[in-house]
């Protein structure tokens, strides 16, 4: 008996399903594309607002930078009355202290004033001035380092040439780090003054940024840092001594209480025997 031939599935239904799927995909792709275009338009509006905000923030910074200047001048006059103010602030700063060796600290004893000058438009750069009293290391009264950002955003820096006295150029000899646990444990260390001649990567000058953004706004906190640490240590010592005294008093009271209890027990035994 002959096997009946298999009946094939109608192709019309499959073609219809495929057509529906393709139409759905086209509809979805069109909706997604429209959404992407709308998102892009919204993002452009956000970017315009961000640019406007940056311009407004810059105007505010420029305004208040001018308002701060009289206070900076008054602060500098008061700082001048305190010997070794700036070298103390530098030594107490964890990042800067790591860059100082003993000879650097000796030279910075003559540092009488530090001044940060942001350019009028602020965004194009700043200048740091170091004022020195007469000293045995160099002839300069002022040593400066400037940081510039040109219109294309390319950073650069330049500094005052240091006029070293004979045999006193700290940048040509390495020295041992100054004493202290925060200093780098290198046998030899470059001088802090090498920073003035380092213009290799002006856009990533950490020392300049630290002085401008961390020390300059409030140098007093670093000048007082060691005193605050010492006061904290004294308070801890006093608390420790008080705790020891309290423990001794408590132990003495316990011993007295035990003695009284022993006396009472002896008295009771005597009464029973009697």
């Amino acid at each position: 008996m002959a096997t009946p031939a298999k009946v094939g599935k109608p192709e019309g239904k499959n073609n219809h399903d495929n057509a529906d799927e393709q139409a759905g995909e086209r509809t979805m792709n069109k909706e997604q594309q429209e959404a992407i275009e709308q998102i892009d338009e919204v993002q452009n509006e956000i970017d315009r607002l961000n640019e406007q905000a940056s311009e407004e923030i810059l105007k505010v910074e420029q305004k208040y930078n001018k308002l701060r200047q009289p206070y900076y001048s008054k602060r500098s006059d008061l700082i001048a009355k305190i010997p070794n103010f700036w070298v103390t602030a530098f030594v107490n700063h964890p990042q800067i202290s790591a860059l100082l060796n003993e000879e650097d600290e000796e030279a910075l004893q003559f540092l009488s004033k530090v001044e940060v000058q942001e350019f009028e438009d602020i965004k194009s750069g700043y200048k740091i001035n170091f004022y020195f009293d007469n000293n045995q290391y160099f002839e300069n009264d002022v040593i400066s380092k400037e940081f510039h950002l040109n219109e294309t955003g390319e950073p650069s820096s330049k500094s005052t040439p240091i006029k070293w006295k004979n045999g006193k150029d700290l940048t040509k000899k390495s020295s041992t780090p100054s004493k202290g646990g925060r200093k780098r444990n290198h046998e030899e260390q470059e001088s802090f003054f090498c920073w003035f001649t380092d213009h290799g990567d002006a856009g990533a000058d950490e020392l300049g940024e630290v002085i401008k953004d961390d020390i300059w706004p409030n140098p007093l906190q670093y000048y007082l840092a060691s005193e605050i640490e010492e006061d904290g240590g004294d308070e801890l010592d006093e608390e420790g001594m008080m705790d020891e005294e309290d423990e001794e008093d408590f132990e003495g009271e316990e011993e007295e209480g035990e003695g009284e209890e022993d006396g009472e027990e002896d008295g009771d035994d005597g009464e029973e025997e009697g």
Side-chain angles (χ1 to χ4, degrees):
M1 184 175 179
T3 304
K6 294 182 179 178
V7 179
K9 294 182 180 178
E11 295 181 359
K13 185 176 181 181
N14 288 340
N15 293 338
H16 181 71
D17 291 343
N18 291 337
D20 289 343
E21 288 178 5
Q22 291 174 0
E25 288 176 1
R26 283 195 297 270
T27 302
M28 186 177 297
N29 289 339
K30 184 179 179 181
E31 290 177 353
Q32 290 177 353
Q33 185 61 36
E34 289 176 354
I36 289 172
E37 292 174 358
Q38 292 172 2
I39 292 170
D40 187 51
E41 291 176 3
V42 173
Q43 190 61 50
N44 289 335
E45 293 297 327
I46 294 172
D47 292 342
R48 276 192 285 271
L49 284 174
N50 289 340
E51 289 178 6
Q52 184 179 347
S54 297
E55 293 173 1
E56 295 295 327
I57 291 169
L58 183 60
K59 290 177 182 177
V60 172
E61 289 180 352
Q62 291 170 345
K63 173 185 175 181
Y64 282 93
N65 187 48
K66 291 180 180 178
L67 293 174
R68 293 188 196 104
Q69 297 311 310
Y71 295 96
Y72 286 148
S73 298
K74 183 177 181 180
R75 187 182 70 184
S76 293
D77 293 340
L78 294 170
I79 287 175
K81 299 178 180 180
I82 303 174
N84 299 325
F85 178 92
W86 285 108
V87 66
T88 303
F90 283 1
V91 168
N92 288 341
H93 191 283
Q95 289 173 268
I96 295 185
S97 65
L99 304 176
L100 302 177
N101 59 47
E102 291 182 358
E103 288 186 312
D104 290 334
E105 289 190 20
E106 290 175 8
L108 291 173
Q109 300 287 333
F110 299 94
L111 180 61
S112 59
K113 179 181 177 181
V114 174
E115 181 182 52
V116 175
Q117 296 177 329
E118 294 192 83
F119 298 151
E120 189 171 352
D121 64 353
I122 293 181
K123 62 182 180 180
S124 65
Y126 61 96
K127 179 179 181 180
I128 306 177
N129 300 317
F130 297 79
Y131 295 80
F132 289 88
D133 294 330
N134 185 40
N135 61 82
Q136 70 267 32
Y137 293 96
F138 41 77
E139 301 288 349
N140 307 67
D141 295 328
V142 183
I143 303 174
S144 303
K145 187 167 185 178
E146 299 181 29
F147 298 88
H148 296 267
L149 201 64
N150 62 21
E151 295 178 356
T152 63
E154 184 179 353
S156 63
S157 63
K158 63 180 182 179
S159 59
T160 307
I162 302 177
K163 300 175 183 177
W164 295 100
K165 294 183 178 179
N166 188 30
K168 294 294 184 179
D169 189 344
L170 300 181
T171 65
K172 291 184 178 179
K173 52 183 177 180
S174 298
S175 177
T176 56
S178 60
K179 297 176 181 178
R182 291 174 295 182
K183 306 299 186 289
R184 293 182 297 182
N185 295 321
H186 292 180
E187 292 182 358
E188 293 186 348
Q189 178 177 343
E190 276 191 347
S191 169
F192 167 83
F193 290 90
C194 291
W195 172 68
F196 289 97
T197 57
D198 182 6
H199 306 292
D201 191 1
D205 195 304
E206 293 184 8
L207 180 53
E209 294 294 327
V210 165
I211 294 173
K212 179 176 75 76
D213 296 331
D214 196 8
I215 291 184
W216 174 247
N218 185 6
L220 184 62
Q221 65 177 327
Y222 292 107
Y223 175 79
L224 296 175
S226 58
E227 294 183 9
I228 293 172
E229 289 176 4
E230 290 175 3
D231 291 343
D234 292 342
E235 289 176 3
L236 289 174
D237 291 341
E238 290 175 3
E239 289 176 2
M241 290 175 64
M242 291 175 65
D243 291 341
E244 289 178 2
E245 291 174 359
D246 291 342
E247 288 178 4
E248 290 175 359
D249 292 342
F250 180 72
E251 290 174 358
E253 289 174 0
E254 282 188 336
E255 290 175 358
E256 290 176 4
E258 290 175 358
E260 289 176 0
E261 289 177 2
D262 291 341
E264 289 176 0
E265 289 177 358
D266 293 341
D268 292 341
D269 292 341
E271 289 175 2
E272 290 176 1
E273 290 175 359

